Amino acid sequence: MSVPTSIREYRSQGDSHLNLKLQEAPLSKPRASEVTIKIHAVSLQRARTLSYSTATSSSRRAYTQGMVIHFIPALAHVLTPPSGEDVKGWKVGDHVCPNFALDHIHGDVTEEIKNTGLGGQIDGVLREYVNVPAYSLVRIPDYLTYEEAATLPCAALTAYNALLGPVPLKGGDYVLVLGTGGVSIFGAQIALASGANVIVTSSSDEKLRVAEELGVQHLINYKKNPDWEDEVLQITGGRGVDHIIEVGGPNTIMKCIKAIKHAGQVHIIGFVSGGDNGIPVGAAIGKAITFRGILIGSVKQFEDMNRLFIAHRIHPVVNKVFPFEQAVAAYSYLESQKHVGKVVIKVSED
């Protein structure tokens, strides 16, 4: 397959996803250490819609103006033959995902690594083709569809880093997952595959049924039971859970402090419930709680995660797929929070 010289891509024209514009752009030749990949599908992340609605008007312009709009890295396949000395291990047609932060190969995040995040300080991937460093690529499981695989580099890897990072969960542990969005559902799937007892909260019985179908053992509707932390304690015999996937933020942190066991792990990933309360230092010390902010993960963790997925044949939960030309509608649907799991845009038909 020949490599085009021009492509279609979405760029932000303002401070809202409603201002996305599909336009033509030139495609440069890859550097010696890069390959050109054809994008088949991308999945959307909630954090980027929040950046539109919570930033000041001046920071919105600085963050989004003129950039390829922020998306989770895509599923793609290698298009250009590796021609440089620096490109090894890949061939034309390989199915791959670039890691979210291109330079995060292993180990801890640094400021320099963070600045290579796709859709952060550099352009994202809602485009037909892109050049990326060969060392950032990860081979995706053969049994997954393009749309399923596109969900792995951000939501899945974030959940994996949380639960199987420095203090990995053990079989028999209790894991509390807040909500049924992308990271949360992956957290439940990874915890179940690792032999944990999983508790999921949601405001919707319909969404909880999806979690139940995945094998989640304990379901809590927090609209019907606003004191859900007490039910968590009841489920765990008063001990509390070992790990929490915390996507709510300030408005749920106190409930999580009550629900976590002494010396438990609270993985801070999002702030969808809003609020402006900080972490109470006294309570954190009193229960010896570890609060860990999660900034996705490395290429090495991505590869490790894929082995877990392959061993258990884990299929990502894809709620809805939109065609490339309907990116604005896809983001509006994501903002509605009607979804369970991930929302995906299909970029290529072949």
Side-chain angles (χ1 to χ4, degrees):
M1 182 181 294
S2 61
V3 179
T5 57
S6 65
I7 64 171
R8 293 185 302 162
E9 65 179 20
Y10 277 94
R11 286 194 174 268
S12 170
Q13 307 299 314
D15 59 3
S16 166
H17 69 275
L18 298 175
N19 294 319
L20 290 177
K21 183 179 180 181
L22 182 60
Q23 60 188 50
E24 293 282 331
L27 177 65
S28 61
K29 291 183 178 180
R31 298 173 182 173
S33 61
E34 294 180 330
V35 295
T36 301
I37 56 175
K38 178 179 180 179
I39 305 297
H40 286 276
V42 299
S43 60
L44 308 186
Q45 61 171 328
R46 172 77 178 154
R48 296 313 184 187
T49 63
L50 288 171
S51 73
Y52 284 128
S53 60
T54 60
T56 64
S57 59
S58 60
S59 65
R60 286 175 189 164
R61 286 194 295 272
Y63 195 56
T64 63
Q65 186 66 42
M67 295 188 71
V68 176
I69 190 61
H70 308 75
F71 296 92
I72 293 171
L75 175 106
H77 74 256
V78 176
L79 196 62
T80 55
S83 56
E85 287 286 328
D86 298 330
V87 177
K88 297 178 181 178
W90 302 106
K91 66 180 185 299
V92 175
D94 283 342
H95 288 189
V96 297
C97 283
N99 197 48
F100 191 97
L102 298 177
D103 286 355
H104 194 184
I105 309 306
H106 58 80
D108 295 330
V109 174
T110 65
E111 189 66 24
E112 291 76 19
I113 286 173
K114 189 171 70 173
N115 287 339
T116 66
L118 290 165
Q121 298 301 315
I122 62 176
D123 282 346
V125 291
L126 193 61
R127 58 205 316 183
E128 293 176 313
Y129 301 84
V130 66
N131 299 322
V132 295
Y135 57 73
S136 70
L137 297 179
V138 174
R139 199 178 311 275
I140 60 97
D142 292 337
Y143 70 91
L144 296 180
T145 66
Y146 289 145
E147 292 76 21
E148 289 174 329
T151 69
L152 299 181
C154 187
L157 189 54
T158 297
Y160 181 87
N161 187 2
L163 296 176
L164 293 170
V167 182
L169 66 83
K170 305 179 296 298
D173 279 356
Y174 279 87
V175 176
L176 170 62
V177 175
L178 303 189
T180 54
V183 175
S184 299
I185 287 294
F186 274 123
Q189 291 178 289
I190 290 168
L192 289 168
S194 301
N197 301 294
V198 181
I199 306 167
V200 169
T201 69
S202 175
S203 62
S204 164
D205 287 340
E206 183 178 356
K207 291 181 178 181
L208 287 173
R209 280 193 290 273
V210 176
E212 186 176 29
E213 290 171 1
L214 294 173
V216 171
Q217 300 97 331
H218 306 282
L219 311 167
I220 302 175
N221 186 318
Y222 64 78
K223 288 290 188 183
K224 297 178 179 179
N225 185 359
D227 298 323
W228 51 264
E229 68 276 22
D230 293 329
E231 186 170 345
V232 171
L233 289 176
Q234 183 178 359
I235 291 169
T236 59
R239 174 178 175 271
V241 296
D242 300 271
H243 292 262
I244 297 179
I245 297 293
E246 165 55 276
V247 299
N251 281 347
T252 54
I253 200 71
M254 289 303 300
K255 291 177 177 291
C256 287
I257 287 173
K258 187 173 183 180
I260 195 73
K261 74 165 190 174
H262 281 72
Q265 306 288 315
V266 179
H267 309 286
I268 301 175
I269 294 163
F271 46 91
V272 296
S273 70
D276 55 7
N277 297 318
I279 294 173
V281 176
I285 294 173
K287 292 186 74 171
I289 302 167
T290 297
F291 294 91
R292 179 173 176 246
I294 308 297
L295 197 59
I296 315 180
S298 67
V299 169
K300 178 64 168 62
Q301 288 175 310
F302 198 162
E303 293 169 343
D304 291 344
M305 179 188 73
N306 282 351
R307 287 197 291 273
L308 176 68
F309 273 55
I310 291 168
H312 292 273
R313 304 292 287 187
I314 297 173
H315 282 272
V317 176
V318 176
N319 180 255
K320 194 168 184 178
V321 179
F322 288 81
F324 187 51
E325 294 75 17
Q326 294 182 19
V328 173
Y331 250 86
S332 294
Y333 181 71
L334 183 72
E335 273 200 328
S336 74
Q337 298 188 55
K338 296 177 181 178
H339 63 289
V340 176
K342 297 301 297 179
V343 178
V344 173
I345 293 175
K346 186 174 185 178
V347 178
S348 172
E349 293 296 331
D350 55 13

